[in-house]
Amino acid sequence: MLVNPDEPLDVQVERQARIIDALMRRANRQDDVRPSAFRAFQSAIELQEKMQAQGRDLARAVSELETVRGEQERMRKSLVAALSSMEGGFALFIDGKLELCNHLFLQLFPDISNKIDTGLSIGRFFARLVSSKFFRSADRNLATLPTTLEKRRDEGVITSVMIEMADDRWFQLSAQHTSGDNVVLLLTEITDFVRRNRSEKESLIDRQEDYLKAVFQTLTSGVCTFSSRGKVLMHNGQFRELLGLPASYVAQGEPVTALVEYLFANGLAVEGDAVNIEAIYRKLVTEGAFRQRVRLGPERVLELHMHEMPDSGYLVEVEDVTLEARATETLERRVMERTAELTRANEKLTEEYEKKARVEEALREAKDKAEKAVSSKTRFLAAASHDLLQPINAAKLLISTLLETSRGTDMHGMVERLEGSFRSTEQLLHLLLDISRLESAAPDTVSPLVVNLTSMMNSIHADQSLVAEQKNVSLKMVPCSVLVRSDPVYLLRSIQNLVVNAIQYTQPGGRVLVGCRRRKGRVVLEVWDTGIGIPKRDQQRVFEEFARADGEKLAAGVGLGLSVVERACRLLGHKLSVKSKPGVGSVFRIELETVADAQAVNEPLSLASNADDLLENQIVLLIENDDDVLFGTTKRLEQWGADVLACRSIDEALTCVEDMGMAPDIILADYTLDNGDTGVDAIAKVRKLTKVHVPAILITADRSPRVRAAGLTYDISVIYKPVKLNRLRPLMAWKIGQQGDAEARGDTKVAGDSAAGAFSVWPE
């Protein structure tokens, strides 16, 4: 490009002229006019025309620019004239530099007017204002105003400062960012407003002073104010009257020392330690307040309150408390008299308390002895249960055997009576042991499990049908196939006690009905009878130990059965209730929690309908360390057709099995053996020796959780002493039958044990 369009027009024109001139000279030197030379010449002509056109445009632009400059200058002069006619001061800063400033600024600060020039920075502008002798003060530091404006430039907020001038004139200086770095300053006079406000304030102070004086005069207490130098400022008439002061001592400007000296000279006495005016003032300065009760003469008591004032002066308030002091003295005297009376009464009460403490100590010792006796009784019954049940179990087995062998003889009736008496003794022993265990309230007394009510109700019906038949009472059970959560031993014992009571207290020809009613999430087991009924006053008392309702003469017993039911239901969380009407009958209810989709503790007794045949010629390994129990059990098993290997110890049992050369069909073992051995150990060693999972039953009087846990762990059924033969025989038959089915399938373990309840604990 020959010409740079960015260069000034005169430079472009000059350059184009030189180019044209060079082209013309070159064209004149040519001998002939060639096409290229002609084209160059033609281009130069066109370029010259363009340059002329641009020159004309440049002339017009320059003319227009001059016109604009003239307009701008006229506008500036008009703006300056307008700003000069404003009542307030005005200053404009563009890009941080002073651009305009009207004459008011110059008039207010004539000593620095020659220093306020265009181009002055805003910081230096404020610095020169402050340096003026006409500037008196401002409510803000003007030196920091530029920094404040810079911080708030984007907020569009107006920053105001109040300025006091030397001639008691007041102005408000307002500053605001407009755009970019442009700042506008406005100076507005507010002298009239400030003076009017000052006048109103002074008037208000005068009114407040008058009001304060009026309040001073109407106060019931005496008030006087003193300056920081101890001069009287103001007082009310009550102050002079209470202290009995002449008017000259409380005149304005009088020193406080003269007033105090006068008071001391006229009978002023300070209670407690003597205090002089210097000590009082030091305490006032230290704590800000002072209070002291004084006496003026023999009759009057005054109270002085001193408070420090904001100007380091202080206010003294005097109040007549003569009546209050007299009342206090009277009260103190009465308190002393009353204290003496209370001291004497306290001494008497102390003696009585010591006597009561001695009595309470004696009662506590008696209570401890009683609790120890009860605890000892409970522990004794719990510990002796095995020793008590062992002979009971042996006697029961022997009586059962004797009853079978005496059939058809003259002795059979006597043996039946003996068996009935022994059954009553056994039932009473069970009740006593149950109460002992339930009384202990140990955490493992009850063990809730999932129980099938059908099997339990059928078992009770089978046990009590003969008793009901002998008394000519109709006993009917309505089966209920529902699963509940309860302790199988104590639930069976509770239902059994209710059924036994219903049969005992129902006249011959009466009826007893056992059934269930389903409710949402629960089931209520009910025992109905048509017996003699219970009066309303006795319906709760019948659940106490040894309690029987009035008029109960039909049944024998000591009244422990319902107490066991109440204690067991309370521990298990079952709701127990009774409803009865004398002469009509009674209904006892036990409300239980139902369980869905769970495995219940089932009784396999109903599966062994052919128990007599299954025990015939079966080899039973019996391990029992009590000779009487061993003898009685052996005789009973032999009557059932079984071949019995009777052993007193584990070693003897293992020797018998080795001599026989084969595994027994079933093992019956007592849990507690000699030398610390257990029936569980015996069963495990026999199974290990024979390499056969021999069916086994533990027969024990130990009801502790460890026995139950051992039965579950080693696949052993547990049955408690004294043994109920009508339960033992079908249980043995069922387990032997299950073992036979397992062997036929080639299993080494009893099939279906966990499903059918072979590891369950069987109540006696």
Side-chain angles (χ1 to χ4, degrees):
M1 183 180 292
L2 298 176
V3 179
N4 187 358
D6 296 329
E7 294 179 346
L9 291 178
D10 52 350
V11 176
Q12 294 182 34
V13 171
E14 183 181 357
R15 185 183 297 275
Q16 290 175 355
R18 288 198 302 269
I19 293 171
I20 294 172
D21 184 59
L23 290 175
M24 292 295 295
R25 287 195 302 269
R26 183 177 181 182
N28 293 329
R29 287 196 301 266
Q30 297 296 328
D31 295 333
D32 56 349
V33 181
R34 299 177 183 176
S36 58
F38 180 78
R39 284 195 299 272
F41 176 75
Q42 189 176 9
S43 299
I45 296 301
E46 293 175 356
L47 183 59
Q48 185 178 10
E49 292 177 354
K50 290 181 179 179
M51 289 176 58
Q52 291 175 355
Q54 289 182 356
R56 289 192 297 272
D57 293 339
L58 179 60
R60 285 196 299 272
V62 170
S63 176
E64 292 176 356
L65 179 60
E66 290 297 330
T67 303
V68 170
R69 286 178 179 175
E71 291 293 333
Q72 184 178 4
E73 186 63 25
R74 284 194 298 274
M75 290 177 64
R76 177 183 176 83
K77 290 179 180 179
S78 300
L79 179 60
V80 171
L83 293 177
S84 299
S85 63
M86 290 178 60
E87 294 183 358
F90 177 85
L92 173 64
F93 291 84
I94 297 178
D95 294 332
K97 303 297 181 180
L98 180 62
E99 181 69 20
L100 293 175
C101 179
N102 66 357
H103 69 283
L104 183 60
F105 272 108
L106 304 179
Q107 290 177 356
L108 290 176
F109 305 98
D111 56 334
I112 60 168
S113 61
N114 57 343
K115 298 180 181 180
I116 301 177
D117 301 325
T118 303
L120 191 65
S121 66
I122 188 169
R124 297 186 65 186
F125 178 81
F126 285 126
R128 291 184 179 179
L129 291 183
V130 174
S131 66
S132 173
K133 65 180 181 180
F134 295 97
F135 176 84
R136 178 67 57 84
S137 65
D139 62 343
R140 297 178 61 177
N141 189 357
L142 291 181
T144 61
L145 190 59
T147 304
T148 304
L149 287 172
E150 183 64 25
K151 290 180 180 178
R152 307 180 68 179
R153 61 183 302 172
D154 296 331
E155 300 178 8
V157 178
I158 299 175
T159 303
S160 298
V161 179
M162 186 176 293
I163 298 175
E164 180 186 6
M165 303 301 291
D167 53 354
D168 195 28
R169 297 178 65 190
W170 295 81
F171 291 86
Q172 184 178 22
L173 178 65
S174 302
Q176 183 182 18
H177 266 283
T178 56
S179 62
D181 289 334
N182 298 341
V183 178
V184 175
L185 298 181
L186 295 177
L187 192 64
T188 306
E189 186 171 3
I190 56 173
T191 301
D192 292 340
F193 174 78
V194 171
R195 290 175 180 174
R196 185 169 58 255
N197 186 46
R198 184 191 299 165
S199 175
E200 292 176 356
K201 184 177 180 180
E202 291 175 353
S203 175
L204 179 61
I205 291 174
D206 292 339
R207 288 198 302 272
Q208 291 291 336
E209 183 178 359
D210 295 339
Y211 175 77
L212 184 59
K213 288 180 179 179
V215 170
F216 259 49
Q217 296 302 324
T218 57
L219 287 175
T220 57
S221 58
V223 179
C224 183
T225 59
F226 296 87
S227 66
S228 59
R229 296 183 179 182
K231 304 291 185 180
V232 176
L233 296 177
M234 183 173 57
H235 73 283
N236 64 353
Q238 191 71 7
F239 180 80
R240 187 164 61 85
E241 182 179 346
L242 287 175
L243 293 177
L245 293 170
S248 60
Y249 284 94
V250 290
Q252 187 173 1
E254 287 296 315
V256 68
T257 53
L259 186 151
V260 173
E261 289 174 358
Y262 175 85
L263 291 176
F264 276 117
N266 288 271
L268 179 69
V270 180
E271 294 186 356
D273 299 334
V275 181
N276 54 32
I277 189 63
E278 290 78 8
I280 292 176
Y281 187 73
R282 284 195 302 270
K283 190 171 183 180
L284 177 65
V285 172
T286 304
E287 300 180 4
F290 177 78
R291 173 177 290 191
Q292 182 68 50
R293 182 164 288 192
V294 301
R295 287 185 175 273
L296 186 62
E299 300 295 334
R300 301 184 66 188
V301 180
L302 304 176
E303 192 166 68
L304 301 180
H305 299 263
M306 300 181 66
H307 304 275
E308 189 176 8
M309 303 290 285
D311 59 352
S312 298
Y314 50 93
L315 179 145
V316 178
E317 181 182 0
V318 181
E319 187 176 358
D320 191 347
V321 293
T322 303
L323 295 178
E324 180 183 343
R326 292 175 181 173
T328 302
E329 292 174 356
T330 303
L331 181 61
E332 288 177 351
R333 186 173 61 254
R334 291 180 180 177
V335 167
M336 293 178 64
E337 294 173 355
R338 184 59 177 164
T339 301
E341 294 177 1
L342 291 176
T343 301
R344 292 191 295 270
N346 185 52
E347 292 174 354
K348 186 176 180 180
L349 287 175
T350 301
E351 293 180 4
E352 294 179 357
Y353 175 78
E354 290 175 353
K355 291 180 182 179
K356 182 179 179 182
R358 289 192 292 272
V359 172
E360 289 180 351
E361 179 64 20
L363 290 174
R364 187 186 63 78
E365 292 177 358
K367 179 175 177 289
D368 290 343
K369 290 180 181 179
E371 289 179 349
K372 289 179 181 178
V374 172
S375 178
S376 176
K377 177 206 70 174
T378 302
R379 290 196 303 269
F380 170 77
L381 289 175
S385 61
H386 181 269
D387 296 334
L388 290 171
L389 292 175
Q390 282 287 79
I392 292 291
N393 188 46
K396 183 175 181 179
L397 292 170
L398 292 173
I399 290 174
S400 175
T401 303
L402 184 60
L403 187 63
E404 289 294 327
T405 56
S406 65
R407 290 187 185 278
T409 66
D410 295 337
M411 298 294 293
H412 185 69
M414 185 179 298
V415 176
E416 279 187 333
R417 287 181 176 273
L418 177 62
E419 195 269 341
S421 299
F422 187 80
R423 186 169 57 248
S424 299
T425 302
E426 178 190 356
Q427 184 177 1
L428 178 59
L429 178 61
H430 276 306
L431 291 173
L432 290 173
L433 292 176
D434 284 341
I435 288 179
S436 172
R437 285 190 290 269
L438 293 171
E439 244 184 12
S440 67
D444 56 358
T445 301
V446 295
S447 300
L449 301 171
V450 178
V451 180
N452 190 328
L453 284 181
T454 298
S455 58
M456 188 169 288
M457 293 169 68
N458 290 337
S459 174
I460 295 173
H461 184 266
D463 288 343
Q464 301 301 321
S465 292
L466 181 59
V467 178
E469 184 179 345
Q470 289 174 349
K471 195 177 178 182
N472 192 25
V473 173
S474 171
L475 175 61
K476 184 178 180 182
M477 294 274 183
V478 180
C480 179
S481 58
V482 65
L483 302 181
V484 298
R485 186 174 299 280
S486 182
D487 185 296
V489 175
Y490 284 106
L491 180 59
L492 184 139
R493 185 65 58 79
S494 298
I495 301 173
Q496 191 176 44
N497 286 343
L498 292 179
V499 173
V500 168
N501 268 20
I503 295 173
Q504 287 179 346
Y505 293 105
T506 300
Q507 299 91 335
R511 292 174 296 146
V512 175
L513 174 65
V514 182
C516 297
R517 296 181 187 272
R518 293 176 181 265
R519 293 180 181 174
K520 187 176 181 180
R522 307 187 74 81
V523 64
V524 180
L525 188 144
E526 299 179 345
V527 179
W528 293 74
D529 66 62
T530 58
I532 61 174
I534 307 171
K536 192 172 185 63
R537 64 179 180 276
D538 295 328
Q539 288 182 9
Q540 294 302 319
R541 194 170 63 85
V542 293
F543 294 109
E544 300 175 1
E545 297 92 340
F546 309 107
R548 300 174 66 183
D550 295 342
E552 291 186 359
K553 301 178 181 179
L554 288 176
V558 293
L560 290 176
L562 292 180
S563 175
V564 171
V565 175
E566 190 276 333
R567 290 170 184 263
C569 289
R570 177 155 38 90
L571 285 179
L572 289 166
H574 302 334
K575 182 180 178 181
L576 175 65
S577 60
V578 60
K579 186 176 181 181
S580 182
K581 185 176 182 180
V584 177
S586 306
V587 54
F588 287 83
R589 297 184 175 93
I590 300 177
E591 187 174 335
L592 305 104
E593 175 190 358
T594 60
V595 180
D597 300 330
Q599 177 138 352
V601 177
N602 297 314
E603 290 196 17
L605 307 184
S606 60
L607 303 177
S609 58
N610 56 343
D612 295 341
D613 299 335
L614 286 176
L615 292 181
E616 190 73 27
N617 299 322
Q618 299 294 325
I619 299 175
V620 179
L621 179 60
L622 177 62
I623 307 173
E624 172 64 64
N625 62 337
D626 187 284
D627 293 334
D628 293 336
V629 177
L630 183 65
F631 176 78
T633 306
T634 302
K635 290 300 181 183
R636 192 57 175 162
L637 292 174
E638 288 176 348
Q639 281 189 348
W640 291 345
D643 296 326
V644 183
L645 300 177
C647 306
R648 297 189 75 259
S649 65
I650 295 178
D651 294 338
E652 189 176 344
L654 294 176
T655 301
C656 288
V657 173
E658 286 179 346
D659 293 342
M660 184 173 59
M662 61 182 295
D665 294 305
I666 192 168
I667 303 172
L668 303 182
D670 186 11
Y671 180 76
T672 305
L673 302 176
D674 294 335
N675 303 320
D677 294 334
T678 66
V680 176
D681 300 332
I683 294 168
K685 290 181 179 181
V686 172
R687 287 174 175 175
K688 182 177 181 181
L689 176 64
T690 60
K691 297 181 180 180
V692 176
H693 191 83
V694 182
I697 302 174
L698 274 180
I699 303 175
T700 179
D702 190 342
R703 289 173 168 78
S704 63
R706 69 176 185 275
V707 177
R708 303 182 188 183
L712 292 171
T713 303
Y714 295 99
D715 302 344
I716 304 170
S717 296
V718 180
I719 191 166
Y720 292 126
K721 295 180 180 179
V723 177
K724 286 196 174 183
L725 300 178
N726 62 345
R727 293 178 178 273
L728 177 61
R729 187 173 185 179
L731 177 60
M732 292 174 60
W734 178 80
K735 292 184 75 69
I736 293 173
Q738 290 293 97
Q739 178 69 6
D741 294 341
E743 291 176 353
R745 291 192 300 270
D747 297 341
T748 59
K749 186 175 179 180
V750 178
D753 280 354
S754 60
F759 320 134
S760 302
V761 180
W762 304 107
E764 60 277 2

